[in-house]
Amino acid sequence: METTLAIIKPDAYKDGNSGKIIDRIISEGFVIKEMKQIHMTKKIAEGFYEVHIDRPFYDELTDFMSSGNCVVLSLERDNAVSKWREVIGATNPEEASDGTIRALYGKNTGNNAVHGSDSPDNGIIESDYFFSEGN
Ligand code: ADP
Ligand code: MG
């Protein structure tokens, strides 16, 4: 079993797409190990996306992620990381394959509905960021 972190981002949350995305998570064979609704502070968003600190979109991204409620989920499945990235599609919704979550619900490269971890190690690190004791 592998772990990945999924986030239903503020755009998808505001549009009322959380339920459909959670149904999809279950129908794709993921087990939801942890789930919570949070409104991230700017600081929490900055910490989560620290790897992107030098990118030009870092401030826009962390403003967006702290702009409203998200649903954060720690998911388990075989090949959870690559499977979840396949289900969500490319970062830019216009480039995401038909039927992927970003193609269905994303608006643009920034407001792209969902997050997915990019490696098994990061799946665990990111899940711990939101779900270890005290967080
Ligand atoms: P992914 O979420 O597909 O792993 P990245 O790790 O490259 O993509 O980027 C993290 C998040 O930063 C993206 O999901 C998106 O919300 C935002 N982002 C990435 N590239 C851009 C960009 N060029 N302009 C604005 N936001 C971006
Ligand atoms: Mg990424």
Side-chain angles (χ1 to χ4, degrees):
M1 279 297 168
E2 198 172 89
T3 297
T4 192
L5 187 81
I7 303 178
I8 300 171
K9 296 184 178 183
D11 58 329
Y13 184 96
K14 279 199 191 86
D15 292 344
N17 290 324
S18 301
K20 282 174 277 189
I21 294 170
I22 292 167
D23 277 349
R24 179 73 177 270
I25 287 169
I26 293 165
S27 72
E28 296 284 359
F30 293 92
V31 174
I32 299 172
K33 301 299 284 187
E34 306 271 9
M35 172 165 74
K36 66 181 175 185
Q37 178 178 309
I38 57 166
H39 186 152
M40 289 183 212
T41 60
K42 173 93 168 160
K43 232 189 173 84
I44 294 284
E46 284 172 348
F48 182 69
Y49 281 114
E50 198 166 16
V51 61
H52 293 311
I53 196 160
D54 293 326
R55 303 280 196 99
F57 57 82
Y58 182 67
D59 196 47
E60 177 190 329
L61 171 61
T62 53
D63 273 349
F64 166 59
M65 291 302 288
S66 58
S67 69
N69 285 322
C70 291
V71 180
V72 186
L73 308 101
S74 179
L75 306 178
E76 263 187 23
R77 220 202 87 127
D78 59 315
N79 300 315
V81 169
S82 58
K83 179 65 185 177
W84 180 238
R85 292 208 66 107
E86 183 189 311
V87 170
I88 70 179
T91 307
N92 180 350
E94 283 173 20
E95 291 165 10
S97 303
D98 286 353
T100 59
I101 292 174
R102 283 168 164 169
L104 288 168
Y105 308 123
K107 294 186 175 69
N108 52 55
T109 302
N111 293 197
N112 58 3
V114 283
H115 169 80
S117 306
D118 62 5
S119 70
D121 283 351
N122 283 335
I124 290 169
I125 291 167
E126 293 179 356
S127 290
D128 284 350
Y129 186 78
F130 288 108
F131 295 111
S132 64
E133 253 168 271
N135 289 356

